[in-house]
Amino acid sequence: MTGVVVIGGGQAGLATGFYLQRSGLVPDKDFVILDAAAEPGGAWARMWPTLRTFSPTQYSSLPGWMMPPWTGDSGYPLAAHVVDYLTRYEQRYGLAVRRSVAVRSVIRGHRGLLEVHTGRGDWLAEHVVSATGTWTRPFVPAYPGSFAGRQLHTADYRHASDFAGQRVLIVGGGNSAAQILAEVSQVAGTIWVTLRPPRFLPDDVDGRVLFELATRRYRARRLGGPDTGGVAGLGDIVMVDSVRAARDRNVLRARGPFARLVEHGVRWRDGSESSVDTIIWCTGFRPALGHLTSLGLRGPDGRMRTDGTQAIQEPRLHLIGYGDWTGPASATLIGAGRTARDLVTKL
Ligand code: FAD
């Protein structure tokens, strides 16, 4: 039997491993970290290479060891720098992540313990921490009609040069859409579609400010005070250098949603049509929780009830990352540490 099985070796799984080890548990003995991927870095290893963090390194760090300074240029670190940091973090703390081990299901076993089933062995666990992120569950909204051209999601985007000379429709009002639009619009004609008018943060607001807001919310919650709210009131899109440059080129102009897909593009609500070669869906991700289905923890609204990180109907199960519902800023580099500390304290 294993004390704790952590599913997922991205930033959330590593931060959990850090605190489990600090509490006296031995990696790969008292707890194991399983990861489906062959390489370290979690989602950061799959993001497009020109993606940058929206905060400086000291605001993009896990517990114990700061992300090394970024010296590449004057901007914030590129995704590869984060992958390198997570790789070294794992080695530094000897977290011994078991790779290429995909968890297929978690079920209740003998004496109420949890059985973790993978294609490469099974584990019986006293506690399971699910830290599987969202990257493997890209979300694309349903629209009527069909489009004969190329469609891809943020998760599949790599280089703007793939779209050189094309007409590209970019759907989505968040940071991924704004950053991909900023790049693609340099080599292609673009149309930007958002559900509601995009909301840009002031130029001087970046991940630092967002983290401070999350900190205020965390403290208020701990003291039993009123919810001070998240970042929603401020806006959504961080004005990183590339997005500011796009604003200066006047390409940050968004249209409301189209009515349907047509063979060569989209039809707008006024009946007019636009022809495009490619549609890039920057429409977000959903929590990757398929491995927990057999526990039957979802309510009628499809959501799993949690008290902080703990599943209310299965107290041996904890969740970290995914979104604010497992802890303020739990799905960011810096916020994962605080949530992991609370989670391990509770365990
Ligand atoms: P992941 O990094 O996705 O790691 C989950 C791990 O679980 C993966 O390694 C995966 O292989 C594994 N896994 C999944 N399913 C299974 C399974 N069934 N069995 C075993 N293993 C499994 N945050 C910031 O702090 N700063 C930023 O600037 C920033 N920019 C972002 C930009 C984009 C485009 C996106 C999408 C997110 C950004 N984030 C940023 C948010 C956040 O840091 C990432 O989403 C982060 O990767 C979440 O970490 P995680 O450990 O929860 O999940």
Side-chain angles (χ1 to χ4, degrees):
M1 190 183 66
T2 308
V4 186
V5 173
V6 180
I7 309 173
Q11 63 198 36
L14 296 184
T16 304
F18 172 88
Y19 282 112
L20 287 172
Q21 189 176 39
R22 228 174 65 159
S23 73
L25 301 189
V26 178
D28 219 34
K29 179 170 167 273
D30 302 322
F31 71 93
V32 290
I33 305 178
L34 311 177
D35 197 298
E39 305 291 338
W44 292 99
R46 292 165 194 89
M47 292 177 189
W48 61 100
T50 48
L51 177 78
R52 290 176 187 272
T53 62
F54 49 66
S55 321
T57 51
Q58 64 272 31
Y59 280 82
S60 305
S61 294
L62 295 179
W65 181 51
M66 286 277 229
M67 182 185 284
W70 165 251
T71 51
D73 54 26
S74 61
Y76 291 157
L78 288 168
H81 188 69
V82 184
V83 174
D84 184 54
Y85 168 61
L86 295 178
T87 306
R88 288 164 63 191
Y89 186 92
E90 192 178 313
Q91 291 162 353
R92 184 184 181 99
Y93 294 108
L95 292 174
V97 176
R98 296 202 187 192
R99 302 216 168 272
S100 305
V101 182
V103 173
R104 292 175 177 164
S105 63
V106 178
I107 60 172
R108 288 188 190 85
H110 186 54
R111 290 191 290 120
L113 298 172
L114 294 176
E115 285 178 21
V116 178
H117 292 273
T118 82
R120 299 182 61 191
D122 301 333
W123 277 261
L124 186 63
E126 253 178 281
H127 300 277
V128 167
V129 177
S130 188
T132 48
T134 58
W135 190 261
T136 52
R137 268 198 75 202
F139 171 74
V140 175
Y143 274 90
S146 63
F147 171 60
R150 181 177 177 202
Q151 298 186 58
L152 67 157
H153 186 271
T154 310
D156 310 305
Y157 174 81
R158 300 302 292 165
H159 304 282
S161 58
D162 295 343
F163 310 98
Q166 296 189 2
R167 275 184 67 75
V168 181
L169 186 93
I170 295 171
V171 188
N175 285 291
S176 305
Q179 290 188 30
I180 290 175
L181 172 71
E183 293 188 357
V184 172
S185 60
Q186 294 183 54
V187 297
T190 49
I191 303 173
W192 188 20
V193 174
T194 60
L195 273 183
R196 52 178 172 70
R199 299 180 316 161
F200 302 102
L201 288 160
D203 281 7
D204 57 347
V205 171
D206 66 8
R208 282 174 281 207
V209 178
L210 304 183
F211 181 69
E212 273 147 24
L213 279 174
T215 303
R216 213 176 302 154
R217 190 177 205 187
Y218 173 82
R219 293 210 178 109
R221 269 197 202 173
R222 276 203 135 182
L223 297 171
D227 190 343
T228 56
V231 298
L234 272 184
D236 299 319
I237 297 171
V238 182
M239 300 307 287
V240 294
D241 290 350
S242 61
V243 178
R244 272 190 233 186
R247 181 183 60 197
D248 297 344
R249 284 186 280 114
N250 199 25
V251 293
L252 296 187
R253 285 175 285 108
R255 291 187 69 156
F258 47 86
R260 61 181 298 118
L261 297 166
V262 292
E263 192 183 352
H264 56 91
V266 293
R267 181 174 304 149
W268 304 99
R269 287 177 175 170
D270 65 5
S272 63
E273 294 186 355
S274 294
S275 295
V276 295
D277 302 296
T278 300
I279 299 177
I280 307 181
W281 298 95
C282 303
T283 39
F285 297 83
R286 297 287 182 264
L289 297 174
H291 55 291
L292 303 176
T293 306
S294 36
L295 290 172
L297 302 177
R298 285 177 190 265
D301 57 358
R303 297 204 62 153
M304 190 185 299
R305 300 271 166 262
T306 50
D307 174 15
T309 56
Q310 193 169 30
I312 290 174
Q313 287 168 282
E314 177 46 82
R316 291 185 190 274
L317 175 68
H318 290 254
L319 299 103
I320 176 169
Y322 305 116
D324 272 358
W325 55 279
T326 64
S330 164
T332 64
L333 279 158
I334 194 160
R338 197 155 50 191
T339 307
R341 189 185 56 205
D342 288 355
L343 187 159
V344 171
T345 304
K346 202 153 191 176
L347 279 184

